[in-house]
Amino acid sequence: MSGDRKMRLGAFLMAGGHHIAAWRHPLAHAQAGVDIDHFVALARIAERGKFDMIFVEDAAAIRERNSDMASQAARSTAFEPLSLLAALAVNTSHIGLVATASTTYNEPYGLARSFASLDQLSGGRAGWNLVTSASELEAENFASSGLRPHSERYERAEEFADAALAIWDGVEDGAYLPPGGADFTDRAKLHPVHHRGKHFAVEGLLESPCSPQGRPIMVQAGASDVGKELAARTADVVFAASQTIDEAKAYYSDVKARLAKYGRQIDDIKIMPGISPIVGATEAEAKAKYRALQELIPDAVGVALLASYLSIQDLSSYPLDGPLPDMPETNLIQSRQQLIIDLGRRENLSIRELARHFAGARGHWQVAGTPAQIADAMEERFSAGAADGFNVMAPIFPSGLEDFVTLVVPELRRRGLFREAYEGRTLRQNLGVGVPAKR
């Protein structure tokens, strides 16, 4: 790897923290989900650390059907991501703003328009995390659509992405207020979209200037074969989940190898796996912090969360201290189901142990240690061709993010792995990904 190569860092924001029991911790802000001051403070911490972007997930539904379980996890209140990021745009100046939005429950024109507006509001810092939505609870809020099969969701996502990109590319740079002052628009630089496909029809022109960064950043997190193919064709950033360095390297190589068929270079995509760091002044302190969080997890909550990601209704009929039973193939989140099965078998974990491990970061990599130990772990994956950077998932907010920015970021800089200052004003400039050719 090049000695000049720098890590990219995202701050994945989630109310009081990514740990399922974070809201119970005395350092967490239990009402964080709908506290705009809390999110502004988090965005400013991340921007002070010179992170590339903040990342907000979404599902247009509550997260837990069982009211007894829902009452024990702070996952029932949240801002709609684009609205939240519009507010954060005016409270920050450099950091990128990435929101999750579904291709199953939106239409291309409306969503492209919303992200174009966020991009203009922020001066070219918007990004769209494209998801196909695999939640039955989410599907029940859109009865006319329902939960589509995995293959159909991705077929629709492929067409959705093409239509949205065409809408963004329909307005060239300099289309409005051209030199001379005689006209407001240069009609030669406007290219109305004429899209008629299996799922969508779009006949129109975006009522927005060209993006300050050429086009909003596209993010994808698919780990299935069709998901990786969509990412290779359309994404600028890939958010991945890998437990081991070998898994991370295999995923990284697989996605990068797919780029050539689309005329893309390996640096056209930044692969940023999730990491949940628990930072301590000593290793013992970090592990004590982790244990304190783990002790806050009610078994019923951990097992219910595990069951939801395994895409089954209930695990309670199986012995908690026994192994995970064989799972039927799911139509929902296939890659995450396989990650859990592999983790349980590789480490010989019982259902209880697997649930408690999974509750920390929902299958993402967790590292507890000193700033140097966490930097060591990140550097190993970055240097080994397993990551271009990381999406940092603090177990508790704000203290977990503050610890990372204050203690780990300086260690990464001391090693020459992370920026001292922003290189540009747009998200695309700071990520170091070029503007794709217009369609």
Side-chain angles (χ1 to χ4, degrees):
M1 296 289 171
S2 167
D4 296 330
R5 182 169 167 257
K6 303 295 184 190
M7 278 184 194
R8 309 302 172 193
L9 291 180
F12 185 168
L13 306 186
M14 177 174 279
H18 282 274
H19 195 285
I20 192 67
W23 71 277
R24 299 176 184 274
H25 195 281
L27 292 180
H29 177 26
Q31 297 177 326
V34 288
D35 183 341
I36 186 60
D37 293 336
H38 170 76
F39 281 99
V40 169
L42 296 184
R44 288 175 172 167
I45 292 170
E47 189 167 69
R48 173 161 49 84
K50 305 295 186 289
F51 277 47
D52 291 85
M53 61 190 189
I54 55 178
F55 179 98
V56 182
E57 59 115 44
D58 190 38
I62 60 172
R63 305 307 173 88
E64 176 55 62
R65 189 187 302 277
N66 183 319
S67 58
D68 290 338
M69 296 300 105
S71 68
Q72 297 184 61
R75 305 177 72 209
S76 301
T77 56
F79 288 117
E80 183 281 316
L82 278 160
S83 303
L84 171 62
L85 293 185
L88 299 185
V90 298
N91 283 281
T92 53
S93 58
H94 284 79
I95 198 164
L97 307 161
V98 177
T100 298
S102 172
T103 55
T104 298
Y105 305 123
N106 287 290
E107 288 283 326
Y109 189 87
L111 202 61
R113 179 176 182 242
S114 296
F115 276 99
S117 288
L118 179 63
D119 208 39
Q120 295 292 334
L121 280 169
S122 63
R125 295 185 283 136
W128 169 28
N129 177 40
L130 181 160
V131 297
T132 65
S133 298
S135 162
E136 291 177 337
L137 287 167
E138 197 170 3
E140 290 167 9
N141 287 335
F142 299 86
S144 63
S145 302
L147 183 60
R148 294 179 167 90
H150 184 272
S151 59
E152 187 179 329
R153 294 200 305 271
Y154 270 92
E155 178 189 84
R156 181 182 165 98
E158 293 271 1
E159 186 185 336
F160 196 118
D162 286 338
L165 293 172
I167 291 165
W168 285 336
D169 289 350
V171 182
E172 290 185 35
D173 189 27
Y176 295 107
L177 293 172
D183 298 299
F184 185 78
T185 60
D186 181 347
R187 296 174 63 183
K189 293 185 175 181
L190 298 176
H191 310 284
V193 175
H194 305 292
H195 174 90
R196 290 198 172 274
K198 178 177 178 181
H199 299 280
F200 309 106
V202 181
E203 292 283 340
L205 185 66
L206 192 64
E207 78 280 39
S208 173
C210 179
S211 163
Q213 54 180 337
R215 182 192 286 170
I217 287 290
M218 293 283 285
V219 183
Q220 235 265 300
S224 64
D225 193 63
V226 291
K228 286 185 277 193
E229 204 64 29
L230 177 60
R233 190 170 69 84
T234 64
D236 302 295
V237 173
V238 177
F239 177 34
S242 302
Q243 286 288 317
T244 70
I245 188 169
D246 288 339
E247 289 174 353
K249 288 170 68 176
Y251 181 88
Y252 184 96
S253 299
D254 186 355
V255 173
K256 297 272 184 173
R258 295 171 190 249
L259 297 176
K261 77 173 74 171
Y262 302 110
R264 307 184 71 192
Q265 306 299 312
I266 61 169
D267 287 335
D268 288 344
I269 277 187
K270 304 300 183 189
I271 297 180
M272 300 172 61
I275 177 174
S276 183
I278 300 100
V279 189
T282 64
E283 183 177 347
E285 180 183 307
K287 291 187 174 177
K289 284 185 176 181
Y290 180 66
R291 284 195 300 273
L293 275 167
Q294 293 295 89
E295 288 169 2
L296 297 175
I297 307 170
D299 278 335
V301 172
V303 172
L305 181 70
L306 184 69
S308 71
Y309 277 83
L310 285 166
S311 305
I312 63 172
Q313 291 292 325
D314 192 8
L315 275 169
S316 62
S317 60
Y318 299 98
L320 270 183
D321 293 314
L324 193 68
D326 291 337
M327 290 286 116
E329 185 176 350
T330 179
N331 179 44
L332 305 181
I333 312 174
Q334 296 177 346
S335 57
R336 195 55 57 92
Q337 182 195 57
Q338 192 59 51
L339 182 149
I340 296 168
I341 293 170
D342 291 345
L343 174 64
R345 290 175 179 168
R346 184 176 61 246
E347 301 191 14
N348 194 29
L349 299 177
S350 67
I351 291 175
R352 189 195 310 272
E353 292 167 332
L354 195 52
R356 293 175 71 80
H357 180 89
F358 192 77
R362 305 181 306 286
H364 289 279
W365 185 37
Q366 298 175 84
V367 184
T370 65
Q373 288 172 325
I374 291 172
D376 285 345
M378 295 172 72
E379 183 174 6
E380 181 185 22
R381 294 197 179 199
F382 179 69
S383 300
D388 294 310
F390 300 91
N391 210 3
V392 178
M393 305 167 60
I396 306 174
F397 288 118
S399 62
L401 182 60
E402 184 69 56
D403 286 347
F404 188 90
V405 168
T406 304
L407 301 171
V408 180
V409 166
E411 180 63 25
L412 295 174
R413 287 185 179 136
R414 190 185 66 76
R415 302 175 188 211
L417 295 172
F418 190 60
R419 65 166 62 89
E420 297 282 349
Y422 285 111
E423 296 85 0
R425 295 305 298 263
T426 71
L427 175 55
R428 190 172 293 279
Q429 288 168 342
N430 288 318
L431 285 169
V433 292
V435 181
K438 298 288 184 182
R439 293 175 169 241

